[in-house]
Amino acid sequence: MKTRIATLILISLCASISAQNKIDPKTIDAKMQWFADAKLGIFIHWGIYSVNGIDESWSFYNKKVSYPEYMKQLTGFTAKNYNPEAWASLIRQSGARYAVITTKHHDGVALWNTKASDLNVVKMTPAKKDLITPFVKALRNNNLKVGTYFSLLDWSDKNYPGFLKDSSKYELKKNPTKWNAFVAFNQQQIKELSDQFNPDLFWFDGDWEHSADEWQAEKIRHDILAANPNAIINGRLQGYGDYETPEQNFPVTRPRYNWWELCMTMNNNWGYHPDDTNYKTPFEVISIFADCISMGGNLLLDIGPKEDGTIPPEQELILKELGQWTYKHSEAIFKTIPGLPQGHFYGPTTLSKDSSNLYLYVSGKTAGKLMIKGLKNKIEEITVVGGDQKLTHRVVGKISWSEVPGLVFIDFPLSAADPYMSVVKVKLSGPLKLYRGKGGFN
Ligand code: GLC
């Protein structure tokens, strides 16, 4: 009887947790696998804002330029050197496993041939062509998963209330007909994305301006999954997404979410911004990436192509340097699981899926002793990933009467160091076993 009551309590608890999350946890695990294994994605912010190199959409919303002046950029958007195959192959070269491209930003300008509005690059710009279809094809040719960024809010649409930071077109509550027309338009565009591109990942943005009910978020999710049950939806759908999307801010402690993705710019802007030269170095990008995967997240690293479709050389360089590093260390990156909890090793770590191989990330030109605390396993072998060097180690401080493991010191010579970040592979006698206690303290 007791066990039956306990089971019932457990069942109702699980039901209420999944009702709260509005998502069935069983189906989600399987469809998220490629995402969990992918680790690195490339974000692309491309739009008319690249013509003058100003803030994407926000520049008129925040009144840095007037709306007409912003929209004049339509006449300068040519895409004349756009080579989607070259973009996809550069993305592949970076080591990324997926890409997410802006199909429509907050300014409402669609990059595909939408039937729902004339505000698209085919009708309104000298580019005169659908830019998304060939890119989706090129991504798939290069064995990359396809992500479509779509802004739910549309500051250009006549039926959308929002416009500038201090003015709206109308008050939503007083004008349900207009709002319903907007929702229908939005859903038509989302359906077009779904029908035309069958994205592996829908990356929504701008959900903060309205509630789940107002967006009809549940219907959006339902319709996407009815067309493709394996589609992944990011977390910007007012509670109806599959994973969290922290933006620009780095977690210090490991987030409790199963899946998350840090989206980050290379300099300080999402779109092409020639006056922003504050680029992160390849070393910094690699360090951030290692930190993300160590804590169970992905990195979605942004590029902002120019209006003609060329990728700025600074950005290309970062992708290529990152690529050399990811290919050299791929065994420690892709298809791994998050590494040791904090406190065992002072640096990022990952583990093979069976947890019998531990990967230690060692920054830059570090040499000397690497220390691991609380490791109960025997070590079978230590090597440097991407080379054939074997490393020696010794265990010190193991007290015969104590269950606390000794400290592992690994000799790491400068000759083994990668210019950016080395990875040391510690082959364990079996699945990882850790001591998590406080030593002699209670
Ligand atoms: C923010 C901004 C947007 C950018 C996005 C990327 O939500 O509104 O401009 O596209 O972040 O994550």
Side-chain angles (χ1 to χ4, degrees):
M1 186 64 184
K2 255 191 198 158
T3 35
R4 267 177 59 197
I5 294 173
T7 318
L8 281 174
I9 294 175
L10 197 69
I11 289 173
S12 59
L13 200 69
C14 290
S16 81
I17 290 170
S18 64
Q20 260 170 38
N21 295 335
K22 300 164 189 112
I23 292 161
D24 172 13
K26 275 202 297 302
T27 48
I28 216 176
D29 271 3
K31 80 167 188 182
M32 293 304 288
Q33 198 54 57
W34 74 259
F35 181 83
D37 289 340
K39 312 295 181 193
L40 181 64
I42 301 300
F43 211 176
I44 303 166
H45 274 72
W46 197 27
I48 62 166
Y49 39 86
S50 57
V51 173
N52 293 344
I54 55 176
D55 300 354
E56 74 291 346
S57 310
W58 291 99
S59 46
F60 72 83
Y61 181 85
N62 288 329
K63 304 194 347 188
K64 284 192 186 167
V65 297
S66 70
Y67 182 69
E69 207 179 313
Y70 181 91
M71 284 322 234
K72 251 193 241 155
Q73 295 177 105
L74 283 166
T75 60
F77 188 76
T78 66
K80 63 172 186 278
N81 296 312
Y82 178 40
N83 183 343
E85 195 45 55
W87 279 21
S89 102
L90 179 63
I91 291 169
R92 185 79 229 178
Q93 225 184 312
S94 75
R97 300 294 196 253
Y98 63 108
V100 179
I101 186 165
T102 47
T103 61
K104 183 176 101 164
H105 204 261
H106 312 329
D107 59 13
V109 182
L111 267 70
W112 80 101
N113 194 2
T114 176
K115 306 265 177 316
S117 150
D118 283 349
L119 189 52
N120 63 64
V121 295
V122 188
K123 289 221 167 80
M124 307 279 268
T125 73
K128 280 202 175 77
K129 56 183 180 226
D130 169 4
L131 302 172
I132 302 300
T133 301
F135 185 55
V136 166
K137 195 164 159 243
L139 288 178
R140 295 210 160 112
N141 284 345
N142 283 272
N143 200 19
L144 292 160
K145 296 278 187 193
V146 173
T148 48
Y149 168 109
F150 179 82
S151 171
L152 292 163
L153 66 83
D154 184 331
W155 290 325
S156 281
D157 191 74
K158 62 179 190 314
N159 291 319
Y160 188 77
F163 182 40
L164 305 178
K165 64 176 178 184
D166 50 7
S167 69
S168 290
K169 298 191 196 85
Y170 64 90
E171 214 182 301
L172 189 143
K173 286 204 173 64
K174 291 191 183 146
N175 223 323
T177 325
K178 253 178 163 342
W179 176 254
N180 290 339
F182 175 74
V183 168
F185 156 70
N186 234 12
Q187 284 177 2
Q188 186 184 342
Q189 288 202 319
I190 296 168
K191 184 168 177 350
E192 285 183 3
L193 294 181
S194 174
D195 290 349
Q196 286 175 234
F197 311 121
N198 189 22
D200 303 292
L201 168 59
F202 283 81
W203 214 101
F204 290 110
D205 195 17
D207 66 339
W208 63 83
E209 288 204 349
H210 298 280
S211 66
D213 278 354
E214 284 164 357
W215 292 122
Q216 295 188 4
E218 190 171 5
K219 178 171 169 11
I220 294 177
R221 180 177 179 88
H222 172 272
D223 291 354
I224 287 173
L225 296 184
N228 175 6
N230 290 323
I232 294 177
I233 300 170
N234 78 333
R236 300 191 185 178
L237 191 58
Q238 292 286 15
Y240 286 87
D242 298 319
Y243 71 89
E244 293 299 313
T245 58
E247 180 174 322
Q248 304 281 31
N249 296 308
F250 317 103
V252 175
T253 53
R254 191 185 285 182
R256 278 176 297 121
Y257 304 104
N258 281 344
W259 305 283
W260 59 272
E261 174 198 63
L262 171 72
C263 54
M264 186 183 81
T265 52
M266 284 186 176
N267 49 5
N268 294 332
N269 281 279
W270 297 104
Y272 175 59
H273 230 286
D275 57 0
D276 176 2
T277 54
N278 194 18
Y279 279 97
K280 297 169 185 77
T281 63
F283 168 74
E284 287 159 354
V285 171
I286 288 168
S287 304
I288 294 165
F289 177 44
D291 202 43
C292 277
I293 60 175
S294 167
M295 292 199 280
N298 287 5
L299 176 67
L300 185 62
L301 181 66
D302 183 68
I303 57 171
K306 298 182 187 175
E307 64 75 24
D308 69 349
T310 53
I311 296 173
E314 301 90 331
Q315 302 184 6
E316 192 172 328
L317 179 84
I318 292 175
L319 292 182
K320 286 187 171 159
E321 292 296 292
L322 177 61
Q324 287 210 0
W325 184 84
T326 54
Y327 275 84
K328 180 174 168 192
H329 300 104
S330 58
E331 109 166 61
I333 301 170
F334 305 106
K335 299 188 180 168
T336 61
I337 55 175
L340 302 174
Q342 272 154 344
H344 293 272
F345 177 71
Y346 296 121
T349 58
T350 56
L351 286 159
S352 59
K353 281 193 182 163
D354 65 359
S355 82
S356 68
N357 290 304
L358 167 65
Y359 299 100
L360 310 173
Y361 289 72
V362 185
S363 180
K365 292 250 160 55
T366 315
K369 305 274 183 188
L370 310 176
M371 182 178 76
I372 309 174
K373 284 155 73 178
L375 183 67
K376 284 187 171 175
N377 302 75
K378 285 219 165 60
I379 291 175
E380 287 189 349
E381 187 182 55
I382 305 181
T383 49
V384 179
V385 177
D388 42 22
Q389 211 156 340
K390 288 202 169 55
L391 302 184
T392 52
H393 77 283
R394 128 188 153 88
V395 179
V396 303
K398 173 71 190 119
I399 308 300
S400 61
W401 46 260
S402 163
E403 54 146 350
V404 182
L407 300 169
V408 177
F409 282 94
I410 301 169
D411 303 301
F412 186 73
L414 201 53
S415 59
D418 179 89
Y420 292 128
M421 190 167 250
S422 318
V423 183
V424 171
K425 174 179 181 177
V426 183
K427 191 167 182 303
L428 307 173
S429 53
L432 177 74
K433 279 190 249 137
L434 291 176
Y435 166 76
R436 301 279 295 143
K438 294 182 181 140
F441 296 90
N442 288 320

